Amino acid sequence: MRAMVLDKAKLPLQARDVPKPKPGRGQLLVRVNSCAVCRTDLHVMDGELPNPKLPLILGHQIVGRVEEIGEPANFKSEISDVKFAVGDRVGIPWLGWTDGECVYCRSNRENLCDRARFTGYTIDGGYAEFTIADARFCFHLPERYNDVEVAPLLCAGLIGYRSYRKTGDARRLGIYGFGNAAHLIAQIALHEGRDLFVFTRPGDTKTQQSAKSLGAKWAGGSDEMPPEKLDAAIIFASIGPLVPMALHALAKGGVVVCGGIHMSDIPSFPYADLWEERVITSVANLTRRDGEDFFEIAPRIPVQTKTETFPLEQANTALDRFRTSELSATAVLTIAE
């Protein structure tokens, strides 16, 4: 099968013919139709996330059809709570496997499992014609969306939704960095009646206007203070200095949620900015419950994605344009039949 392969960090992906994988017990062989490009793919490729599987096929926002089910005789007993059939459309997210036995898994925190495996990082992902996945960690996808539209929801949507839920019932919500995840979550926040305050790169009036046209109450540069104190803020940009800025903008009892898997170092800040029960928290990975909840609410709003498609062989082009902020929408790789 065709695949784009990462041999070593900081090197371009290589187009290569590799053996078609075979599903084991409880696994699905999936013919990939689309795979959205994520900033985490860049972090892996650029060596900012340690110890990836190498060589590696990136990609963890995968949409495809079930081609084969591994060891059907054992399928029902192995994963009795999930039912897939050949031909079903499935979504494959970042969280690819957990042990189900550790203290985190047994306390509904499988996203923190010490032995967890991740699609496109420690498991081969979707920059290929086929991939395999543990069926327990796959999702049935809303029929409202086509294969390209739904792909960004599998990470930008899911991780963004987990970040959003950590803000509780905050009425005045700030979002730092108005990229793919922020655009999706802003739609949910506005649907639920939140007052939205958006922070972009200083001087990025185009993105600020886009946020206002979506319904934001205010939009400005990340170096500005909002006109009202925030009850919560989500930081989607992987820029550590934004944390004390967001903290300084919070009302008493507010929370700053760091929504990225990787962030540059956070500089020191006055304790007075943290005092009065303000909180800084991070979001790690996702749980299957996050996915079930998000895919129930997304088509009802409906959450709309903005995409730009690239053929599989142009994965490096898509990643380079992402790195240099030349994309105005989520890059989605399409794999021709």
Side-chain angles (χ1 to χ4, degrees), residues 117-184:
R117 300 173 191 166
F118 303 104
T119 310
Y121 180 34
T122 54
I123 305 171
D124 280 332
Y127 287 20
E129 289 184 293
F130 293 90
T131 192
I132 56 173
D134 188 318
R136 297 171 300 174
F137 293 84
C138 296
F139 296 112
H140 289 287
L141 299 173
E143 290 301 320
R144 179 184 183 93
Y145 301 102
N146 66 35
D147 292 345
V148 171
E149 293 168 338
V150 77
L153 300 182
L154 283 156
C155 185
L158 292 180
I159 298 298
Y161 185 71
R162 183 171 182 83
S163 301
Y164 175 65
R165 283 301 174 217
K166 278 184 169 283
T167 66
D169 58 358
R171 183 178 66 83
R172 295 163 300 186
L173 175 65
I175 293 182
Y176 286 76
F178 202 65
N180 300 332
H183 180 264
L184 298 176

Side-chain angles (χ1 to χ4, degrees), residues 109-122:
R109 295 179 292 167
E110 65 182 7
N111 57 309
L112 302 179
C113 176
D114 287 331
R115 298 176 60 207
R117 300 173 191 166
F118 303 104
T119 310
Y121 180 34
T122 54

Side-chain angles (χ1 to χ4, degrees), residues 155-224:
C155 185
L158 292 180
I159 298 298
Y161 185 71
R162 183 171 182 83
S163 301
Y164 175 65
R165 283 301 174 217
K166 278 184 169 283
T167 66
D169 58 358
R171 183 178 66 83
R172 295 163 300 186
L173 175 65
I175 293 182
Y176 286 76
F178 202 65
N180 300 332
H183 180 264
L184 298 176
I185 297 314
Q187 296 175 62
I188 297 179
L190 293 167
H191 176 76
E192 294 186 345
R194 313 295 176 95
D195 291 336
L196 190 65
F197 300 80
V198 171
F199 300 80
T200 71
R201 289 188 181 90
D204 188 356
T205 55
K206 181 179 178 182
T207 301
Q208 292 164 18
Q209 187 55 48
S210 174
K212 290 176 182 176
S213 65
L214 189 64
K217 186 173 183 178
W218 176 90
S222 59
D223 57 346
E224 300 179 54

Side-chain angles (χ1 to χ4, degrees), residues 37 180 305-310 322 326-332:
V37 175
N180 300 332
T305 59
K306 296 192 299 182
T307 60
E308 181 176 350
T309 59
F310 297 80
F322 195 171
E326 295 177 33
L327 294 171
S328 59
T330 303
V332 178

Side-chain angles (χ1 to χ4, degrees), residues 61-83:
Q61 301 181 89
I62 306 167
V63 180
R65 296 277 175 180
V66 177
E67 183 99 348
E68 182 182 343
I69 297 171
E71 298 190 33
N74 296 311
F75 185 77
K76 184 175 180 181
S77 60
E78 186 73 12
I79 43 176
S80 58
D81 58 332
V82 181
K83 293 180 173 62

Side-chain angles (χ1 to χ4, degrees), residues 239-261:
I239 302 169
L242 291 177
V243 174
M245 291 180 180
L247 193 64
H248 190 64
L250 286 187
K252 292 183 285 187
V255 58
V256 173
V257 181
C258 301
I261 193 171

